[in-house]
Amino acid sequence: MKRTLAALLCVCALLPSAAHAAAPQAEAAAAVLMEKETGALLYEQDAHDKREPASVTKIMTLLLVMEALEEGRLALTDQIAVSAHTASMGGSQVYLKEGERMSAGELIKAVAVVSGNDAAVALAEHIAGSESAFVSRMNEKAAQLGMADTNFVNCTGLPAAGHLTSAYDIALMSRELILRHPQVREYTTIWMDTIRDGQFQLANTNRLVRFYEGCTGLKTGFTTSALYCLSATAEREGMELIAVVLGAPTSAQRFTAAQDLLTYGFANYTLVDVRPGQAIPPVAVSLGTSETVQPVLGESSRILVEKARLDQVSTDLRLTDAVEAPVEAGQKLGELVVTAGGETLRTIPLVAHEGVDRITVPGLFFRLIRTLFLSG
């Protein structure tokens, strides 16, 4: 009886916790689930396999467009002339004609909602002078973001030799777009709209925008070689997730896979704003114009936690006893260690709220006199 009970206990110890369901397997060649704020990976499946991204490429195109808007190099009201090269684009398009002019705002809408290849090229040429120059900027940005699996050949995602990326890299550029440029949601959440003064109808290629609660975008893609691709973003209760699916056999399977991953993430994880269990005391400063300096959290204290471990989260405040002046604003004075069940989840630096200059000899003399006077 004892041997049987022991065996059962061993088996139970090896089983996954019922409170944390296993991530669903995506019916696709590659997939990733990432949390936006922390960049934490919650799920990965062949995340670094280099694959054709099809029109999911346009996430990088939109990222550079949003940067140009923010820096004043582009305005939504700019009227952009359509070149012969732009008008020659195939695939998904809004049928721009050579010599036609369209505002940047309408072109962005055409890219985000119906994946217009011609609209993407028109924006690229306007911003960089040519599509090839724009693509160089895309690759530069990819390198800055650490997208080591990526090489862009065009700004559309149309099939081209060497135009490759990975599910992980797509998550990185998706995160950069929605984190730094949340205004892109004004376009990526459109379900139906028009351009050309209502003469041309637009319907979003991303059906999750309408049918998945909290969906904020982001971009679909399809070619016969890339198959069905998607970077889907959604936000619930202050947490935004990114689900990337590449190489799904059917359109329905890419949406189902992304939806399942997002739902898994929302069901099992949450963002928590952790704080010390006590007021952070000041740190003594020797030979300073001030005798103490106040430590503050040097980074965001929001951390990603499995919901099943919420009651295990604790913090440990570790401060230096004293520092010698001069103290610079932002100088590290300690750290706040966040743990759950004995595992360190995050170490947040504690830094000086403001600088403290070194006291001069006359200042030290007057302090001594003041101290003697007050003690007397």
Side-chain angles (χ1 to χ4, degrees):
M1 180 68 180
K2 290 181 179 179
R3 285 197 298 271
T4 302
L5 180 59
L8 286 172
L9 289 173
C10 289
V11 170
C12 289
L14 294 173
L15 292 175
S17 170
H20 187 160
Q25 184 76 13
E27 293 186 39
V32 154
L33 180 66
M34 179 180 285
E35 193 279 316
K36 178 194 74 175
E37 189 169 324
T38 63
L41 271 184
L42 309 184
Y43 173 83
E44 56 181 311
Q45 174 184 320
D46 298 316
H48 292 281
D49 281 6
K50 295 183 180 182
R51 301 190 58 83
E52 294 180 53
S55 282
V56 177
T57 296
K58 296 186 181 80
I59 292 171
M60 181 60 82
T61 302
L62 287 170
L63 175 56
L64 295 190
V65 168
M66 290 296 120
E67 287 184 348
L69 284 170
E70 186 175 283
E71 295 166 7
R73 294 182 286 110
L74 178 69
L76 294 177
T77 54
D78 285 352
Q79 293 296 312
I80 296 176
V82 176
S83 70
H85 176 59
T86 294
S88 71
M89 289 297 111
S92 301
Q93 56 184 298
V94 291
Y95 303 99
L96 296 175
K97 294 181 174 59
E98 184 178 358
E100 180 182 359
R101 303 184 76 86
M102 186 174 286
S103 72
E106 288 209 322
L107 290 170
I108 295 169
K109 190 191 300 183
V111 172
V113 179
V114 296
S115 199
N117 293 320
D118 46 4
V121 174
L123 287 163
E125 290 180 339
H126 184 75
I127 290 171
S130 68
E131 183 183 7
S132 60
F134 188 85
V135 171
S136 293
R137 296 186 187 183
M138 292 171 67
N139 284 316
E140 288 171 8
K141 189 67 179 181
Q144 291 172 14
L145 296 177
M147 296 169 59
D149 307 321
T150 298
N151 179 65
F152 294 118
V153 176
N154 57 53
C155 68
T156 60
L158 286 167
H163 188 91
L164 299 169
T165 186
S166 65
Y168 178 76
D169 282 6
I170 289 171
L172 287 182
M173 67 178 179
S174 299
R175 177 176 184 254
E176 182 73 6
L177 178 58
I178 61 177
L179 183 64
R180 308 297 178 194
H181 308 282
Q183 68 273 27
V184 77
R185 292 178 176 192
E186 297 173 16
Y187 300 96
T188 57
T189 56
I190 292 171
W191 176 238
M192 298 191 76
D193 208 330
T194 63
I195 56 174
R196 297 190 178 105
D197 297 322
Q199 299 302 305
F200 192 93
Q201 300 288 322
L202 304 176
N204 205 316
T205 56
N206 181 6
R207 74 182 192 191
L208 297 186
V209 168
R210 183 175 183 184
F211 298 109
Y212 189 78
E213 179 190 349
C215 183
T216 55
L218 191 60
K219 193 72 202 67
T220 60
F222 169 77
T223 64
T224 53
S225 51
L227 300 180
Y228 292 90
C229 306
L230 174 66
S231 178
T233 56
E235 182 175 25
R236 294 182 186 175
E237 299 178 355
M239 181 173 73
E240 193 162 12
L241 300 178
I242 303 158
V244 178
V245 176
L246 296 181
T250 68
S251 180
Q253 283 173 305
R254 70 174 164 187
F255 290 123
T256 297
Q259 180 174 306
D260 288 349
L261 286 172
L262 291 169
T263 299
Y264 160 79
F266 288 125
N268 289 284
Y269 293 88
T270 188
L271 283 171
V272 177
D273 196 3
V274 295
R275 294 291 175 185
Q278 64 187 77
I280 303 177
V283 171
V285 179
S286 61
L287 303 176
T289 53
S290 174
E291 295 181 356
T292 61
V293 62
Q294 181 60 49
V296 295
L297 294 173
E299 298 173 356
S300 168
S301 59
R302 281 171 51 95
I303 64 168
L304 188 72
V305 181
E306 293 177 48
K307 289 182 177 180
R309 304 174 72 186
L310 272 174
D311 59 350
Q312 301 175 22
V313 175
S314 62
T315 58
D316 181 20
L317 190 65
R318 301 174 184 175
L319 280 175
T320 185
D321 293 329
V323 290
E324 183 177 319
V327 178
E328 296 182 2
Q331 181 175 322
K332 186 174 179 181
L333 301 173
E335 57 191 22
L336 180 70
V337 181
V338 185
T339 60
E343 177 189 351
T344 299
L345 301 180
R346 175 101 176 270
T347 300
I348 304 172
L350 296 167
V351 301
H353 179 59
E354 56 188 12
V356 179
D357 293 331
R358 193 174 182 88
I359 196 168
T360 62
V361 173
L364 190 60
F365 174 75
F366 284 117
R367 177 182 290 179
L368 178 61
I369 294 299
R370 186 170 61 252
T371 302
L372 291 172
F373 176 78
L374 291 174
S375 62

